[in-house]
Amino acid sequence: MTALTDASGFKGEADAVFTPADETELARLLAEANRDRVPVTILGAGTGITGGSMPKNGWSISMRKFAGIEIEPGRAITGAGVALTELQAAAARSGQFYAPDPTEWTASVGGTINTNASGSRSFLYGSTRRHVLALKVVFMDGRIREFRRDEPVDFPVPALPLPASTKSSAGYPLRPGMDWIDLICGSEGTLAVITEAALRLLPKPRRLLAGVVFFRDEDSALDAVGDWRSIAGERMLEYMDARSLELLRPAYEEIPMEARAAVLIEQEDGDPADWVERLERARALMEASWFGETDRDRERFRVFRHALPERVNATVIQRGFMKLGTDFAVPLPRGREMLAYCRRRLSESYGGDYVVYGHAGDAHLHINMLPATSEENRSGFALMTDFARKAVEFGGTVSAEHGLGKRKAHFLEIQYTPEQLEEMKKVKRRLDPNWLLGQGNLFPVPSA
């Protein structure tokens, strides 16, 4: 047996680990596993936080060798094992960029497609699904297929309700006439194995203004988010609360001591002069906030933003527990109401350490509990379900970008009725009738 662990601390075990060199070898492995009824779990970079790439048994198949990159005007053709860092670097050399911006840039292209990842720039550009032009996949029976955008699924599917949030990554987004790419993207490795993708690239903006704006209180910061959503060219509206800034201060002494919240912004073709009035009106800490227009400035701010989840993950692991982080999103008008509800419930039923940060522009904030005791861990786990139910009650989704994997698979029944889940399972049975691929992701394994 081989032990494996993802970024959340979720542990898996595989009877064997394979690293196929090409689609022919992968197809042979899958056909053999299908014949012998061996479960197969696909492993990307291992950066997931829901246990989706962690096997309970059977085979783990690493996509590490699917690592080719070709850059063309308007698109990149990449292997599933390519890291986002490699993709972005290659695109930048041609004056282009890939719009989805998940926090973990070491994630693989295949992994981000499987979860329909989005990240900080989703406010303008949306999630991964919007940027996939073509996919090459291998099905569990060994068939190799290539699908292009707008190639419809060749079997009937019903229309399932979508949440009113701006993004969602919870289950299969079934609708009549949908195409294969929309079905496979976000399916969490349960329908097919992605080997290669054609991804849309965009021209690098001529001018890009970035900033980290500090505030004395949370209400002022959230007021600013609401006001700034309508700014033309705004592509990022990220939030950090007071505890988030406390975690970062040891590495960033320049964070003003009076700051109790921060909003990170990026605006294409933004004029710094326009922001002077905006910051005054928002009651921001103008002199202490950070702004820049160079690539170096933007990279510094990106590293600052990404340092927070790294610090959160390290804290959780140091304390000996798994990450307890939400991924719900709600309709924009309910965002502050949802945050107020969560803070109240945390005060009533948890009482431990936690941070709030994330994609405020999309009403998609991550609440990460950092339990220090077993009791805090138990109460925090219960609150995760409480928050998922409230998000759905508000018209939102239980998962906006990370997927549900194994750790959160039970949330799917909060968002969908048994009848709607059965429609998803019919699709699963059609493409993987022996229920071998990605066992435990999204759905429980059927009893024999």
Side-chain angles (χ1 to χ4, degrees), residues 174-230:
L174 301 183
R175 58 180 174 80
M178 72 183 304
D179 68 18
W180 277 101
I181 289 175
D182 284 347
L183 176 61
I184 293 170
C185 185
S187 62
E188 301 198 45
T190 61
L191 298 179
V193 181
I194 298 165
T195 62
E196 183 179 273
L199 305 171
R200 178 181 291 111
L201 298 181
L202 300 176
K204 182 180 177 181
R206 293 171 299 175
R207 185 180 185 185
L208 185 62
L209 179 68
V212 181
V213 184
F214 295 105
F215 295 84
R216 288 187 175 86
D217 60 86
E218 180 165 271
D219 283 341
S220 296
L222 295 177
D223 286 343
V225 169
D227 291 341
W228 295 349
R229 281 193 178 112
S230 60

